[in-house]
Amino acid sequence: MSELALLAEKADAADELAPVRSRFVLDDVVYLDGNSLGALPAVVPDRVADVVRRQWGELRIRSWEESGWWTAPERIGDRIAPLVGAAPGQIVVGDSTSVNVFKALVAAVRMAGEGRDEILVDASTFPTDGYIAESAARLTGRTLRAVTPAEVPSALSGRTAAVLLNHVDYRTGRLHDLPALTAAVHAAGALAVWDLCHSAGALPVGLDEHGVDLAVGCTYKYLNGGPGSPAYLYVRRELQPRFDSPLPGWNSHADPFGMSPSYAPAAGAPRGRVGTPDILSMLALEAALEVWDGVSVSAVRAKSLALTDFFLKCVAARTEPGRVEPVTPERHEERGSQIALRCADAGEVMKRLIARGVVGDFRHPDVLRFGFTPLYVSFRDVERAARVLGEVLA
Amino acid sequence: MSELALLAEKADAADELAPVRSRFVLDDVVYLDGNSLGALPAVVPDRVADVVRRQWGELRIRSWEESGWWTAPERIGDRIAPLVGAAPGQIVVGDSTSVNVFKALVAAVRMAGEGRDEILVDASTFPTDGYIAESAARLTGRTLRAVTPAEVPSALSGRTAAVLLNHVDYRTGRLHDLPALTAAVHAAGALAVWDLCHSAGALPVGLDEHGVDLAVGCTYKYLNGGPGSPAYLYVRRELQPRFDSPLPGWNSHADPFGMSPSYAPAAGAPRGRVGTPDILSMLALEAALEVWDGVSVSAVRAKSLALTDFFLKCVAARTEPGRVEPVTPERHEERGSQIALRCADAGEVMKRLIARGVVGDFRHPDVLRFGFTPLYVSFRDVERAARVLGEVLA
């Protein structure tokens, strides 16, 4: 057994999160694509079957009340809250991330007031955030300016209404400094909107602690909610009374079954709701969140860094110098829970890795992306992935 | 056996759709709330279990391609298309009805051009359409005017950009004249946006035939897609190149995996997509649509009218004159697939009906609402419902 394999074995033996792996349905594949679609939590299939057969099939319409369907968006929001450092009552689940970016950004611009006519958006953002930011700017009569997160402090001005940033860059895995950037945005009198897709469930976020104004995130990556599971919207409690949604659907009405022709927004997190929630996907997510019982985000973060450190070490040992180049920062303070490697023939390499049971993904034009979900990825997985990568690259 | 019960028996024996009932999971309840949440199609539970256990649990990320997840929104749109009289390539499934109303109305206003500054909305609409229309008007700088469908022809002018109408009124069950109203809207040079929530799957719609511009609808009523199953958006083929979405998420990009920072809209129906589709709910819907195999919408319409006629007849026979008053029009041309009865103590009456195994719903302040899904409601059901209603009211 190689030295790295021995190290992996030791690390697994000492890993306090190792038992959590059994809460997932896994096979002999090394699955390093949990930052795209999280693995299936073992509790989900039976729960979904119950939702379909009993709640829908037998109780039917009664389930809106008796099975808690109606209140699911805010109930599940409260289940996500501790994972992102939020007190209850500030998160609502529903719609896609894109739709929630739209709600958050338009609402932020409205809160900033008429005098502020510019929106800043992370130039390296996942594309949808940029597209939606452009639409929000167009519809609210603001201008949109794309800047890198590093440029944000100098780009801020009295014109800035809101800034839309990604906590972790989807491509490079770079972790941005949420506390410092939020403080800079606030110092300029603007609102900070964060996209947590690549951080929630992988590292501490501290929404309340750092005074984030609004945030959105998906639930199908590190939160393992299933394909296209609904996203969430966080609105800081003090801002909720001023949250003026551009999508004021009947589910966000103060008295939805009053069927009033005039709109009156609900108080609190439900103000972020829109239409009828997709119950099957939503309750699958609720079940999936049970894997977090007894798990601390700080333990997850510690393991995440250990996994990515170990992967970088193994890759360095197993590949020719210069064959791949890490794009993800070395410094822990700047690293999310993935490692991106630049590699000229990345598309072809990833195909061969997948054929050999190591699943990551390829990001155009030349990035191999490996996500490390601390709840189910082991150090042995990491060693094997780097070993197979070395063989494929050789 | 009463005369009405005999009639019911005869009608069931002659009903060509009677065998379709076995495609649903039903019990001894008379379920007349399929216009709120359709009953469970028998094929759905196993299909959903496969999506969860195999497609997500085993194939994981590969399912986006191998299990056809990525193309589901337009594939399922094409499955809905014949039910609403649309040729393929014009419908995309995803998001809630409210979100689709927003897309459709903003896009319609943009197509109408700068010179047209007024949106007309059905004053009797399901509330969410009115709330969203107000937001669309606010964000596009138009004014919103609520008028009844009957007032639309006289309210139209050179100022009118778009008109948002309901095909069937959710409360009264009144069917509006889609061909005539669409023609009137077109004659004024405006765009017609129809909400099909209470008509699709219950009666012929004829979107293509009548030149409807845009349409939206939910799938959890007469299409039996399950609680909160995704809605759909129809954009007439000739208008697709001009469809300018206010929610241009990455799923609507011409090259979504190119991850370009600049937006370029996809051609065709996918232009109406936004973010990652909720696969569990979406594929449950796809399975649910199989109950339509071999079923013609005209047969459904014929049975629907026979059921509602029979219900009115039974109610008249079983209740004291004046105790309840039908709100739904007598004329077939003006009737959807539900019967609404005004009844002073409707809330209490509906509770007692439900306790006795007849499930309809109550609409504030004084309406008993009974939906008739021709795929699984029998004439015996109708006779029993009216009989129990008579007993409860006595």
Side-chain angles (χ1 to χ4, degrees):
Chain A
M1 191 178 274
S2 72
E3 192 199 342
L4 290 169
L6 277 168
L7 275 174
E9 211 163 78
K10 265 195 205 162
D12 282 335
D15 174 19
E16 63 167 295
L17 292 176
V20 179
R21 182 180 171 100
S22 67
R23 299 181 190 175
F24 290 87
V25 176
L26 294 165
D27 48 27
D28 59 350
V29 163
V30 176
Y31 191 63
L32 303 181
D33 212 1
N35 55 335
S36 185
L37 175 65
L40 172 66
V43 74
V44 167
D46 287 351
R47 190 71 56 81
V48 171
D50 180 66
V51 172
V52 173
R53 288 180 194 275
R54 188 180 58 85
Q55 297 184 14
W56 173 14
E58 295 174 21
L59 299 179
R60 290 186 283 258
I61 200 71
R62 288 163 51 192
S63 274
W64 280 107
E65 195 169 328
E66 291 178 30
S67 303
W69 287 356
W70 184 262
T71 51
E74 47 270 21
R75 181 178 71 242
I76 303 172
D78 281 347
R79 187 69 191 79
I80 292 171
L83 303 179
V84 291
Q90 301 174 102
I91 295 184
V92 69
V93 173
D95 305 306
S96 65
T97 305
S98 300
V99 169
N100 282 299
V101 168
F102 185 73
K103 293 180 214 169
L105 208 46
V106 171
V109 164
R110 287 173 172 173
M111 288 182 205
E114 286 300 323
R116 291 175 175 265
D117 68 352
E118 188 171 75
I119 300 171
L120 299 180
V121 65
D122 185 344
S124 56
T125 192
F126 184 77
T128 211
D129 293 44
Y131 308 157
I132 295 289
E134 193 172 355
S135 176
R138 174 180 173 193
L139 284 165
T140 57
R142 266 66 174 184
T143 56
L144 181 70
R145 183 150 63 112
V147 294
T148 65
E151 294 166 338
V152 163
S154 63
L156 288 161
S157 75
R159 286 182 56 192
T160 315
V163 185
L164 172 61
L165 290 159
N166 290 70
H167 198 189
V168 171
D169 184 296
Y170 79 101
R171 223 171 58 91
T172 64
R174 176 182 291 270
L175 171 65
H176 297 300
D177 189 342
L178 181 143
L181 284 165
T182 302
V185 171
H186 286 170
L191 286 98
V193 183
W194 285 91
D195 179 333
L196 310 177
C197 283
H198 287 272
S199 61
L203 50 90
V205 177
L207 289 177
D208 287 354
E209 180 186 352
H210 305 301
V212 166
D213 299 302
L214 298 110
V216 303
C218 78
T219 61
Y220 45 76
K221 300 181 189 294
Y222 299 106
L223 298 180
N224 314 298
S229 58
Y232 57 90
L233 171 70
Y234 164 91
V235 181
R236 184 155 56 86
R237 193 180 309 281
E238 307 88 278
L239 299 179
Q240 288 174 347
R242 293 165 55 210
F243 180 81
D244 182 4
S245 176
L247 293 170
W250 74 293
N251 269 234
S252 70
H253 197 283
D255 179 19
F257 291 96
M259 302 282 164
S260 165
S262 62
Y263 182 71
R271 189 177 288 202
R273 294 175 64 155
V274 185
T276 305
D278 53 334
I279 292 301
L280 266 53
S281 294
M282 189 154 307
L283 299 191
L285 166 63
E286 183 169 37
L289 289 168
E290 289 181 13
V291 299
W292 291 93
D293 287 352
V295 172
S296 83
V297 176
S298 60
V300 166
R301 173 62 169 165
K303 182 175 174 187
S304 161
L305 289 170
L307 288 167
T308 50
D309 275 345
F310 187 55
F311 184 66
L312 287 170
K313 179 190 180 98
C314 291
V315 168
R318 302 291 195 198
T319 60
E320 296 279 307
R323 184 69 177 86
V324 295
E325 181 207 345
V327 179
T328 308
E330 181 90 36
R331 293 181 60 227
H332 284 180
E333 304 78 50
E334 296 179 350
R335 192 193 300 165
S337 199
Q338 74 178 54
I339 294 294
L341 301 176
R342 186 162 288 136
C343 171
D345 48 344
E348 187 51 37
V349 167
M350 186 50 72
K351 275 185 201 156
R352 292 168 63 198
L353 279 174
I354 291 170
R356 295 196 49 188
V358 174
V359 178
D361 61 23
F362 162 61
R363 280 294 173 261
H364 191 78
D366 60 356
V367 167
L368 296 170
R369 203 175 67 149
F370 302 95
F372 298 84
T373 301
L375 299 186
Y376 55 76
V377 171
S378 69
F379 292 88
R380 276 186 193 82
D381 286 339
V382 169
E383 191 276 333
R384 181 174 146 206
R387 184 158 32 86
V388 174
L389 175 65
E391 291 163 11
V392 163
L393 290 173
Chain B
M1 191 178 274
S2 74
E3 191 198 346
L4 291 170
L6 278 169
L7 277 175
E9 211 163 80
K10 265 195 203 163
D12 282 334
D15 174 17
E16 63 168 295
L17 292 177
V20 180
R21 182 179 171 102
S22 66
R23 299 181 189 174
F24 291 86
V25 175
L26 294 164
D27 47 26
D28 59 350
V29 163
V30 176
Y31 191 64
L32 303 180
D33 212 2
N35 55 333
S36 184
L37 174 66
L40 172 66
V43 74
V44 167
D46 287 351
R47 190 71 56 80
V48 171
D50 180 65
V51 172
V52 172
R53 288 181 196 274
R54 188 181 59 85
Q55 297 185 14
W56 172 14
E58 295 174 21
L59 299 178
R60 290 185 283 257
I61 198 72
R62 290 163 50 193
S63 274
W64 280 106
E65 195 170 327
E66 292 178 29
S67 304
W69 288 354
W70 183 263
T71 51
E74 47 270 20
R75 182 177 71 241
I76 303 171
D78 280 348
R79 187 68 191 80
I80 292 171
L83 303 179
V84 291
Q90 302 174 101
I91 295 184
V92 70
V93 173
D95 305 306
S96 65
T97 305
S98 300
V99 169
N100 281 299
V101 168
F102 185 73
K103 292 180 215 169
L105 209 46
V106 171
V109 164
R110 287 173 172 173
M111 288 182 206
E114 285 301 323
R116 291 176 174 265
D117 68 352
E118 188 172 74
I119 299 171
L120 299 180
V121 64
D122 184 344
S124 55
T125 192
F126 184 76
T128 210
D129 293 44
Y131 307 157
I132 294 289
E134 193 172 354
S135 175
R138 175 180 173 193
L139 284 165
T140 57
R142 266 66 174 184
T143 55
L144 181 70
R145 183 148 64 111
V147 294
T148 64
E151 293 166 339
V152 163
S154 62
L156 288 161
S157 76
R159 286 183 56 191
T160 314
V163 185
L164 172 61
L165 289 159
N166 290 69
H167 198 188
V168 172
D169 184 296
Y170 79 102
R171 224 171 57 91
T172 65
R174 176 182 291 269
L175 171 66
H176 297 301
D177 189 343
L178 181 144
L181 285 165
T182 301
V185 171
H186 286 170
L191 286 98
V193 183
W194 286 91
D195 179 333
L196 310 177
C197 283
H198 286 272
S199 61
L203 50 92
V205 178
L207 290 177
D208 287 353
E209 181 187 350
H210 304 302
V212 166
D213 299 301
L214 299 110
V216 304
C218 79
T219 62
Y220 45 77
K221 300 182 189 292
Y222 298 106
L223 299 180
N224 314 298
S229 57
Y232 57 89
L233 171 70
Y234 164 91
V235 181
R236 185 154 57 86
R237 193 180 309 282
E238 306 89 277
L239 298 179
Q240 287 173 348
R242 293 165 55 210
F243 181 80
D244 182 4
S245 177
L247 293 170
W250 75 292
N251 269 236
S252 70
H253 197 283
D255 179 19
F257 291 96
M259 303 282 165
S260 165
S262 62
Y263 182 71
R271 188 177 287 201
R273 294 175 65 155
V274 185
T276 304
D278 52 335
I279 294 300
L280 267 52
S281 294
M282 191 156 303
L283 299 191
L285 166 63
E286 185 169 35
L289 290 168
E290 289 181 13
V291 300
W292 291 92
D293 287 351
V295 171
S296 83
V297 176
S298 60
V300 165
R301 174 61 170 165
K303 182 175 173 187
S304 161
L305 289 170
L307 288 167
T308 50
D309 275 345
F310 187 56
F311 184 66
L312 287 170
K313 179 190 179 96
C314 292
V315 168
R318 302 289 195 200
T319 59
E320 296 279 307
R323 183 69 177 85
V324 295
E325 180 206 347
V327 179
T328 308
E330 180 90 35
R331 292 182 60 227
H332 284 179
E333 304 78 49
E334 295 179 353
R335 190 193 302 166
S337 199
Q338 73 177 54
I339 294 294
L341 300 175
R342 185 161 289 135
C343 171
D345 47 344
E348 186 51 39
V349 167
M350 185 50 71
K351 275 185 202 155
R352 292 169 61 197
L353 279 174
I354 291 170
R356 297 196 48 187
V358 175
V359 178
D361 61 23
F362 161 62
R363 280 295 173 260
H364 191 78
D366 59 357
V367 167
L368 296 170
R369 202 175 68 150
F370 302 95
F372 298 83
T373 301
L375 300 185
Y376 56 76
V377 171
S378 69
F379 292 87
R380 277 186 193 82
D381 286 340
V382 169
E383 191 276 334
R384 182 175 144 206
R387 186 159 30 88
V388 173
L389 175 64
E391 290 164 11
V392 163
L393 290 174

